[in-house]
Amino acid sequence: MALIVLVGLPLLVGAVLVVAGRALADRVSRGLALAAVLVALGVGIGASWTRPSFDVAWLPELGLRLHLALDGVSVPLVLLTVVVGVLVVVLARDSMPEGGSPATVLGCLLLVEGGALATFAARDAVLFFVAFEVVLIPMWVLITRFGDPHDLRARREAGHRFLLYTVIGSTLMLIGILVLVTSAGTSDFSELLSAGAELPRGRQLTIALLLTVGLAVKVPVFPLHTWLPSAHTIAPTVGSVLLAAILLKMGTYGLVRLPLASVPEGFAVIAPWLAIAGVVGIIWGALVCLVERDLKRLIAYSSVAHMGFVVLGIASGTEIGLQAALYGNLAHGVISALLFVVVGGLKSRWGSVDLGRVLPALREVAPHRGFFLILGLAAALGLPGLAGFWGEFFAIVAAWQPADLADIAVMRTCAVVAAIGGLLAAAYSLRVANLLWIGDAHPVEWSLDEEMEDSISSSSDHSTDAGRGAGAGAGSGSRELSTEVETSGGERLVLLVLSAGIFGLGLMPWWAMDVMAPSIQSLIGVRP
Amino acid sequence: MTPVANPSLEWLRLAPALAPVVGLLLVLLVDALWPKQRGLHVAIGAFSLAAGASAAVPGALSTADAPVLSLCVPGGLDGACLWSAGPIASTLQIGVLASTLAVLLLMLDRDRGDAVDVVLLLGAAAGGVAVAASRDLGTWLVTLELATIPIVALVALRGAGRAVHAATTLLMTSLLSFALLVVGVALWLTATSDPSFSEVSVRAAWADPTTRPVLAVAAIALIAGLAFKLSLVPFHAWTPIAWGEGPIPVTTLLASTSKLAATAALIVVLEPFAALVGARPGPHAVAFVLGALAIASMVVGTVVAFRQHDVVRLLAWSTLAQGGWVVLPLAALTAAGARAASAYALVYAAAVIVAFAAASTLPSRRLTAYTGLIRTHPHVGLPLAFALLTFAGLPPGVLGLVAKVAAMRAPAQVGLWPLSVLAVAGVVLGIAVYARWLAVLVASPVPGGAEGSDGEPFDVGRGAMAVLAIGTALLLVASVLPNVLFGLLG
């Protein structure tokens, strides 16, 4: 029953808020949303402890059951989701994206949260797919309706691209699920563990291909990642946070739950290819980050790189690899959420965060925001003691000693390349820190670029158009950026919680690892 | 014992088809006695449709092994009954009658619904109901035409030049389709020497190498004839013309009632082929034709729909794709496929009725007139958005998603999963089409948007409001509890 509340309450309140729209007073809708996410937080923590289970027939004609339960793999993600759910609602208090009624924004946030919780709690493969699809439309509304107010065309394009890419992925995954379910004769995850493994090798390979390609779009894995940067750049801050912290996690969770656990033989065949795609993503993402000017887009590309490490861990097929992947998944959720809050706050005040301009030094004008930025960058480059370290370190260790010794040459090469990618991460993190935190550096390489002059004048027009937040300093026609970019109350609270998460995950990795270990062993334990 | 026995006749079991016929006669009688009583005609029509639908409920609750039978010929070939309404046929009958009722309500807002309109509507409904339960070639052919011809008249009635053009196109198409159906029926009779669609004779005809090709050609001719009525590529050319030029209530009838009747007729033809699944050689030609029609319709329909700026034309082209989704599960030639196809057709019919009810309230058919409709007129915009999401198969339109899952599952079950992979293109292109409309709905309102450039007022009639409310409620309930629908189909 607790799980029905956990999943159903955000969905129900979200639907009510979206339908009610302006009919509800602002305060009522905010209160309703906050109450819903707080209840979800409480129930989520309780359910992670008691691990209840819920199982009723939903659509017997298709063999579809409403079967929800939590295990070690899903508990950390459920906790991440309920915490981030509270954080985005708190964040929306200060920086409510413009373009429609606040109730619609909050409703969409809740629908995404509910859909993600349903995805992580689903124990039935077809239900998993249905829950997977629930998040699409609310996220699409957040991007197209409430995204970057400057560019309507780009907003629409980014929204459509997000929707269509992820739908291609999820439909391929659906076919994989349908073939798997009809071949194995069951759609229950725990029964699929043994029923799927008994299928003939060729059939397993077909299913694994369909599932992996489908889920790789969502993760995203190079070269299927092209929807992510535009979606992140355009989405409002709350949307970017949800996208990075929750939506991408659904892809990696699905990879572990479906192809890896259900059709192990088939997955083993494509694992090296997945590993190669992962490390290409690491290098590609890092190289783009070294030259990208738009900071939001840069963080999106760094997500591609981090997800490369996660995929590498999954591809290794070992217990350490899976630990690393799921831990890296969690860490990336916290780190990228923090970075998007920091940068989203800047973007809403400046109109854009273009690293090609002369930027005020955050260490001086906004020491708190500057600190959080440095913390996020340090965690992203994998500094030991912070959250990002364990996932990347153990992913490389796992790739060095893969489960399938036949692929050892490929996997060790991947491990080496991934380590180089880790170095590149340090380079681009320092680049951002240099330009934004130390600041006042004239970016020589573009100083004479006419295009840049245009972008300065046009974006300062934008900041006067937008003229919101603490935008008092964005003087009309002035080329100076506002220096009043210090974190505001709600923002600071959110950043503090996320920082605590970064330190917590970095200093006490055994906590989450112990929760995950038994379930991971059972996922790969039944292998022949 | 008499050598030629009369078929048994159970009036109550035939009531789903007889109720609209009785209603039709009553309307004619009332019109002769007291002319120009529009309210009375509509009331009689609505009552007879509702009575027919409730009479079909026992059939929907029956099981596939024990359908509601009537007009049985004692001593005939394998005890054949001319009327056999199992769960699938009965649920489709309910869909046919309910959709006709919705069209009747929509007509009220348009100052239509006089005696002629009601009679034609009831005639089309009776035809659609009867074809779903017919099991012999003669009844099947005649009732299928009965379901079609009144619609031609409805398109033409009181229309100006363009509507007559549309009606002529529709009539020519119907004649062509009828010709193909007659050829198909004749070949079927030649191959099976049995004037009914029965598994026994199909199996016998398929086992014999001389009659096998004749039966295959017969089935393909029948499928082609019905492909006209389902607007499948390449038999679709009439659809944008007839839909675009006819009045919206009649277009709704073409989109829902007519499509359900054609689906029911196709299921009647394909049902006996379930006996051949797994046979050697299997009915590959039939499955191939169905699969090819499905994929071609999905791709062509959505690609052209994407370029439309007129919402009725957009729906007209996208109905090609939706027809493809109805046929896709039928390619499996199994009972599960027939269930999935009828479920899809019913979901589509409900959603398209809601979409047209919303469209009928707007003075303009341009896509731009819908800008910001969700905010300016949420009581129209939200149901429309829900219908579009159901078409696209995206939550919260869970019902559309479940219908798509069922439609892809049937081919996957018999090993035809590559067909489902091709259908991915249909899913994605379809979502692009509907997302384009949705993006307009959720955009910021512009001054004078929904009112149209000519300043015509935005007028939601009572009929359209009732259809919107009931249709959305049905879609919502079935989205939360899909087995309300799937349970009825057995």
Side-chain angles (χ1 to χ4, degrees), chain A residues 7 46 56 67 104 120 138 161 220 224 270 322 385 424-425 479 484 525:
Chain A
V7 171
V56 292
H67 186 181
T104 314
F120 296 138
R161 191 185 276 214
L224 305 171
I270 50 175
L322 281 186
L424 289 175
R479 292 194 173 186
E484 295 185 16

Side-chain angles (χ1 to χ4, degrees), chain A residues 19 22 58-62 99-100 129 133-134 136-137 140 145 160 163-164 167-168 171 174-175 178-179 182 206, chain B residues 375 389 394-395 398 401-402 408-409 413 417 420-421 424 427-428 431-432 435 438-439 442 444 480 482-483 486-487:
Chain A
V19 171
R22 284 177 195 279
W58 188 44
L59 186 48
E61 287 74 19
L62 291 185
F129 165 76
E133 298 281 87
V134 168
L136 290 183
I137 285 294
W140 174 79
R145 186 86 179 82
H160 280 13
L163 191 66
L164 297 184
V167 163
I168 294 177
T171 314
L174 169 66
I175 297 167
L178 289 178
V179 178
T182 48
T206 312
Chain B
R375 204 193 290 175
L389 288 170
L394 283 176
V398 178
L401 182 67
V402 171
M408 293 173 111
R409 189 188 166 103
Q413 269 173 334
W417 60 268
S420 307
V421 174
V424 172
V427 174
V428 176
I431 286 174
L438 274 173
V442 302
S444 306
V480 178
N483 56 343
F486 284 81

Side-chain angles (χ1 to χ4, degrees), chain A residues 108-134:
Chain A
C108 288
L109 296 177
L110 287 175
L111 287 174
V112 172
E113 185 189 350
L117 288 171
T119 309
F120 296 138
R123 301 292 297 171
D124 180 288
V126 183
L127 180 67
F128 171 82
F129 165 76
V130 174
F132 204 83
E133 298 281 87
V134 168

Side-chain angles (χ1 to χ4, degrees), chain B residues 34-111:
Chain B
W34 304 283
K36 309 259 180 222
Q37 293 288 318
R38 198 169 76 114
L40 196 56
H41 299 148
V42 171
I44 295 173
F47 180 77
S48 59
L49 288 169
S54 36
V57 169
L61 298 178
S62 69
T63 58
D65 310 326
V68 173
L69 299 171
S70 186
L71 302 179
C72 295
V73 188
L77 194 62
D78 61 83
C81 294
L82 303 187
W83 174 284
S84 162
I88 292 179
S90 299
T91 312
L92 284 170
Q93 288 175 339
I94 296 176
V96 165
L97 292 163
S99 59
T100 316
L101 189 55
V103 172
L104 192 59
L105 287 172
L106 287 181
M107 279 191 166
L108 277 181
D109 294 345
R110 296 263 165 151
D111 282 333

